[in-house]
Amino acid sequence: MSEDREPPIISFKDDDDLRSWLKSQAPSVSAQTPYLLAHGEDGIIWGRFDNQKLTTAEKIFHKPDFKVDLPKLRLLTLQQCRIFGRNGEILLWRLSETKFKWRFIGNPNEDKIPESQILWGTNGIKRDNFTLLWDGSQGLKHAVPFGDIELNGDRLVKPVRLLVHHYIRYEEGTGLARIYLSRLVDLTTKQEIKS
């Protein structure tokens, strides 16, 4: 997690090559289920790894059963991707058409601020460890790879939250504190933060 070390560069030939690399990295982030959050030019892609098998949201919630068109994980449109869990986070980001840099952050023994970010969605439908979330009639939908959600009809009893750790570094001479690094940790519906 050193800021001094230059992150390695990796190249992918195609979508299958990208998926294979992601699957190979997943065990290092969590002994339990690691999650995937990717940002593409065409939207947000959620996924999860179960027994080293990657499932993305568009495979679970697809047309015509659900009136939603979720983006696919594709090398062509991928901007950045995070695989995260309690043990760490891998961040992959685009440099060029096929080249990416990546880095791993574990659980450093440093001061941190845990933050619980509420995700978009007051309504939901659960299916196969995923929950399709939306808010009112706005039409914006995403499917989180998390099924431990209590529903009252299609209304969420508690919002889905993304747990994030922000790591603090202190300047030697001045004692000035700054957040120098953040990483995704977990999905939950609990309000209290367990770091």
Side-chain angles (χ1 to χ4, degrees):
M1 194 173 86
S2 171
E3 286 182 62
D4 305 330
R5 200 181 114 233
E6 182 67 22
I9 295 175
I10 187 166
S11 294
F12 301 108
K13 295 180 296 224
D14 54 28
D15 292 347
D16 291 336
D17 195 24
L18 169 65
R19 284 178 168 270
S20 292
W21 186 84
L22 292 171
K23 287 180 207 175
S24 74
Q25 299 304 309
S28 63
V29 238
S30 184
Q32 302 163 354
T33 304
Y35 301 108
L36 176 135
L37 175 58
H39 294 82
E41 293 171 5
D42 48 354
I44 294 202
I45 301 111
W46 282 103
R48 64 182 287 141
F49 294 87
D50 293 295
N51 300 320
Q52 295 207 347
K53 179 180 182 259
L54 172 61
T55 305
T56 50
E58 91 283 349
K59 302 281 187 208
I60 305 299
F61 293 103
H62 47 77
K63 289 183 175 180
D65 299 339
F66 300 92
K67 294 178 170 74
V68 65
D69 193 14
L70 298 172
K72 295 179 179 169
L73 181 62
R74 300 182 305 146
L75 183 60
L76 179 68
T77 59
L78 183 65
Q79 295 300 309
Q80 73 173 15
C81 180
R82 295 172 189 263
I83 304 170
F84 66 96
R86 287 269 172 196
N87 293 344
E89 175 197 80
I90 292 171
L91 171 62
L92 176 74
W93 67 97
R94 178 180 293 280
L95 290 177
S96 67
E97 233 177 87
T98 59
K99 289 186 179 174
F100 290 78
K101 279 192 176 184
W102 69 280
R103 60 101 174 111
F104 172 81
I105 300 171
N107 289 317
N109 188 16
E110 297 178 8
D111 289 343
K112 67 179 176 247
I113 301 169
E115 179 186 13
S116 176
Q117 298 178 353
I118 295 176
L119 296 181
W120 175 266
T122 56
N123 299 70
I125 297 172
K126 293 197 280 188
R127 185 176 192 193
D128 297 342
N129 289 322
F130 279 78
T131 306
L132 182 66
L133 299 175
W134 69 92
D135 197 64
S137 61
Q138 301 233 353
L140 300 174
K141 296 179 180 177
H142 65 120
V144 294
F146 184 67
D148 192 13
I149 297 170
E150 186 180 348
L151 298 172
N152 184 0
D154 70 354
R155 299 276 303 165
L156 273 67
V157 173
K158 294 179 183 174
V160 179
R161 298 168 185 268
L162 177 63
L163 180 59
V164 181
H165 285 174
H166 303 287
Y167 295 98
I168 301 169
R169 182 159 289 160
Y170 300 92
E171 287 187 16
E172 227 173 272
T174 64
L176 181 69
R178 68 180 177 94
I179 293 173
Y180 78 99
L181 186 67
S182 298
R183 84 165 188 88
L184 307 183
V185 178
D186 205 359
L187 292 167
T188 186
T189 55
K190 295 182 176 81
Q191 186 169 358
E192 70 277 0
I193 298 174
K194 290 183 182 176
S195 55

